[in-house]
Amino acid sequence: RELKNEAEVADFLCAFLHTSALRDSALSRLQDIAAWWKQQEQYAFYASSLLLAYDTQKNTECKITMIDFTHAEQISEKSQDLSGYDVGLDNLLRIITWLAP
């Protein structure tokens, strides 16, 4: 199903990350990725994705990994990164921060 607005994304993430432990671990991992992203100045990732996964038997830890590097581009400085990856990451962080208790 296509998610058409931020409220639908928040509802989807709330259903997917249905325990506070999952939301907390997702937020922590996203913060780690955001910290790395802000300091790295070598690559721009166009059409890259974040994969969120967890063990449905435990429901305690959400693992988040960057995937889809087909359109990665080497850059020499951060200002050359026009990918919008930071915007998407910031939006996802904001939504999951709002969902976390």
Side-chain angles (χ1 to χ4, degrees):
R1 135 180 168 210
E2 183 180 338
L3 303 176
K4 297 180 181 174
N5 56 51
E6 190 172 302
E8 288 183 4
V9 171
D11 289 344
F12 177 82
L13 287 171
C14 188
F16 182 74
L17 302 170
H18 58 92
T19 68
S20 60
L22 287 172
R23 289 188 296 274
D24 289 344
S25 65
L27 180 58
S28 176
R29 184 63 183 125
L30 278 175
Q31 289 169 333
D32 291 345
I33 292 170
W36 171 81
W37 179 254
K38 288 178 182 167
Q39 60 84 28
Q40 81 83 25
E41 298 180 349
Q42 295 178 312
Y43 297 97
F45 296 100
Y46 295 89
S48 183
S49 300
L50 293 172
L51 174 67
L52 286 72
Y54 60 87
D55 182 339
T56 59
Q57 299 299 312
K58 295 180 182 177
N59 293 321
T60 57
E61 181 186 6
C62 181
K63 297 186 181 220
I64 302 178
T65 303
M66 292 176 59
I67 61 171
D68 302 331
F69 302 112
T70 303
H71 302 288
E73 181 178 293
Q74 196 162 12
I75 57 175
S76 57
E77 60 185 50
K78 197 68 163 177
S79 65
Q80 294 175 323
D81 181 2
L82 305 176
S83 66
Y85 195 89
D86 55 335
V87 174
L89 188 56
D90 287 346
N91 286 335
L92 189 56
L93 266 167
R94 184 173 37 77
I95 292 168
I96 292 182
T97 298
W98 179 76
L99 295 176

